[in-house]
Amino acid sequence: MYKQNIISKHIGILCAMPEEIGSTLDKLKNIETKAYGDLNIYSGEWSSSKTFSKSLNIYISIAWSGWGKVSAARAATRLIGHRVNELQIDAIFFTGVAGAIHSKLKQWDIVIANELIQHDMDARPLFKRYEIPALSTVRIKSEKLISNWALFTLKKSKRDGSLEMFGNLHEGLIATGDKFVHEKKEVEKLSKNIEDLIAVEMEGASVAQVAKQEKIPFQIIRVISDEANESSAQDFNEFLIKYNNHSAKLISTLIENIKDAPI
Ligand code: ADE
């Protein structure tokens, strides 16, 4: 008798704040919570609306790390060490909000990072400016196949009308640092020093570094909340309240299409 092979995938989702997860946990069955100190990782089975769920079991582990590079690196490391049914995560997706650096980016636009830089890393004169000694590189590159899949998936969903709140899709360089950027002169400085930079946030490149060192596929995906200028604090706070109702849609679009992802 024909017996269908069931494939299992275990996907890690990381955000900095609970608003960036929104109602995603409602999509999980049989949720179990594991606490690592003050970090909770919630794991469960994705309850898919699609028929592929018969041949593909998707386990999700999800956490919010808190702000900044140290918290993000710590949470990424915990997520990578976490097991569900003895399965390690196959990939890690970090989603959340970012400040626009390039003027073409507007609130609700989505940014797929194809490269990441730690803009506060500076060990000159021993290393080049921004060089991450552990990786001997200035820019951490995303895997092209994964970035292309994320871009294609989100573009298609946007075209089909299921991401209607979201704006345009962009692919480009994101910079990470332990600094909330809130001055035009800081934006100008960053874009002068890092010429193709399009967005700034506080966690992505540290998660990318951990994922690279641990050899786990990753993708950082950000939604523009503010323009990193003098009104960024207010814009950010107001945006976050709205984003809480839409962040799960972004995450579920990715997970619902995970069978096509090169992971
Ligand atoms: N995340 C969202 N907006 C940001 C900003 N302006 N600076 C740093 N991280 C951010």
Side-chain angles (χ1 to χ4, degrees):
M1 199 175 72
Y2 174 72
K3 203 161 158 254
Q4 197 174 26
N5 271 346
I6 298 182
I7 297 169
S8 294
K9 280 195 198 275
H10 179 194
I11 306 297
I13 306 280
L14 202 54
C15 303
M17 295 171 287
E19 292 88 345
E20 294 169 323
I21 293 175
S23 59
T24 308
L25 290 182
D26 296 347
K27 296 280 283 176
L28 301 188
K29 287 185 292 188
N30 308 322
I31 297 185
E32 285 184 10
T33 308
K34 178 140 170 70
Y36 297 91
D38 66 358
L39 178 80
N40 284 333
I41 298 185
Y42 305 93
S43 302
E45 250 177 89
W46 187 256
S47 38
S48 175
S49 55
K50 292 196 175 176
T51 45
F52 69 70
S53 58
K54 289 202 177 62
S55 57
L56 178 61
N57 277 341
I58 305 172
Y59 297 102
I60 303 289
S61 288
I62 191 159
W64 52 279
S65 62
W67 291 42
K69 289 163 62 190
V70 174
S71 291
R74 175 265 193 143
T77 308
R78 283 294 191 189
L79 199 52
I80 290 167
H82 184 70
R83 300 281 185 278
V84 172
N85 290 348
E86 295 178 16
L87 293 172
Q88 191 185 24
I89 55 168
D90 294 296
I92 186 163
F93 293 103
F94 193 105
T95 72
V97 298
I101 294 294
H102 197 290
S103 57
K104 73 181 173 187
L105 271 63
K106 303 292 170 217
Q107 262 190 342
W108 292 103
D109 281 2
I110 302 174
V111 182
I112 311 283
N114 58 10
E115 289 184 318
L116 297 114
I117 199 166
Q118 293 178 9
H119 70 77
D120 54 359
M121 171 58 90
D122 190 352
R124 289 176 296 178
L126 300 172
F127 294 90
K128 282 190 289 219
R129 187 167 193 188
Y130 311 125
E131 181 169 340
I132 300 163
L135 296 176
S136 304
T137 190
V138 166
R139 292 172 180 228
I140 306 172
K141 286 192 191 315
S142 306
E143 271 178 50
K144 191 133 192 56
L145 288 177
I146 300 179
S147 304
N148 286 349
W149 162 80
L151 196 62
F152 176 83
T153 298
L154 296 173
K155 267 193 177 157
K156 185 172 177 302
S157 301
K158 173 77 189 152
R159 257 200 324 271
D160 296 347
S162 67
L163 286 172
E164 58 181 7
M165 266 313 280
F166 292 85
N168 293 326
L169 272 126
H170 307 268
E171 194 182 19
L173 174 65
I174 290 182
T176 302
D178 281 323
K179 181 175 177 44
F180 185 80
V181 181
H182 62 278
E183 284 175 306
K184 196 161 187 300
K185 69 172 192 302
E186 182 71 15
V187 171
E188 284 164 2
K189 205 160 99 191
L190 280 167
S191 26
K192 183 164 164 271
N193 290 337
I194 311 169
E195 60 176 34
D196 49 341
L197 182 62
I198 62 171
V200 69
E201 38 85 309
M202 299 176 67
E203 295 85 18
S206 65
V207 172
Q209 178 180 341
V210 171
K212 274 271 179 208
Q213 291 190 259
E214 295 284 323
K215 300 184 172 32
I216 297 288
F218 68 94
Q219 183 62 52
I220 313 296
I221 299 170
R222 292 288 189 168
V223 178
I224 298 300
S225 55
D226 60 84
E227 292 180 9
N229 58 15
E230 282 67 10
S231 65
S232 61
Q234 189 178 342
D235 294 343
F236 174 91
N237 282 329
E238 288 171 7
F239 185 85
L240 210 57
I241 294 167
K242 294 182 227 153
Y243 190 58
N244 189 32
N245 297 322
H246 298 279
S247 50
K249 186 70 205 172
L250 184 72
I251 295 171
S252 65
T253 301
L254 296 166
I255 303 300
E256 290 283 327
N257 289 285
I258 206 77
K259 73 170 195 332
D260 302 322
I263 50 174

